[in-house]
Amino acid sequence: LRFLVASMAISSAATAFAQNAALSSDTAQLSPSGGTVVLTAATTYDSPPGALGWSIALPADWTLVSVTVPHVPAIAPEAGSTGTLEFAFTQVPADRAEFTIRVSYPANAGSAQATPKVLLRTSGKLTTLTPAPVELRGVAVAGQKSRN
């Protein structure tokens, strides 16, 4: 019985894969005149999952401008999309999947947050990762209130 329990523990440990995901920004502060922010979505894993998808919830008045390299997901929203953006890889890159999105935000935007979620399917098991949201600070112009 001990042998069976030990071999099951070893087998389970061998099929467990380290998986990490992070969303980062090229800035922490928004310009009072409006502009764009580049967000980088990265997922690392010991063995490529069978499926990989990202969703990134943007603030209400933000808009997708573009999706770029190094690994552009095969399924991605079109430029001009708003709200929650969904991405999926039909062929998952080895070791790491990373892509960047450029999003625009309006003038006098208040502090905002982009909230990510990642879904991976490995060996028939679905795993949800919840990377930390990207926090961006709005800046009020003298005489104007930032929209919070």
Side-chain angles (χ1 to χ4, degrees):
L1 183 60
R2 284 187 207 164
F3 174 75
L4 181 59
V5 170
S7 65
M8 287 175 63
I10 291 170
S11 174
S12 295
T15 59
F17 300 106
Q19 302 165 332
N20 296 297
L23 184 66
S24 60
S25 172
D26 66 341
T27 186
Q29 190 164 312
L30 303 174
S31 169
S33 61
T36 62
V37 172
V38 174
L39 301 173
T40 300
T43 312
T44 58
Y45 30 80
D46 290 337
S47 178
L52 171 62
W54 274 80
S55 69
I56 303 171
L58 297 177
D61 47 359
W62 290 36
T63 304
L64 177 66
V65 174
S66 62
V67 182
T68 59
V69 293
H71 307 114
V72 177
I75 299 170
E78 294 183 14
S81 296
T82 60
T84 299
L85 308 177
E86 296 181 339
F87 305 86
F89 288 89
T90 55
Q91 294 188 341
V92 180
D95 302 323
R96 178 181 179 88
E98 180 179 326
F99 62 96
T100 61
I101 63 172
R102 180 175 298 276
V103 294
S104 64
Y105 61 92
N108 301 316
S111 294
Q113 169 173 299
T115 307
K117 182 167 47 170
V118 180
L119 297 173
L120 299 108
R121 182 173 303 280
T122 305
S123 302
K125 181 183 175 195
L126 186 62
T127 303
T128 301
L129 303 177
T130 51
V134 169
E135 304 282 342
L136 300 158
R137 292 185 312 273
V139 178
V141 176
Q144 294 180 347
K145 287 184 150 183
S146 71
R147 299 183 317 183
N148 283 325

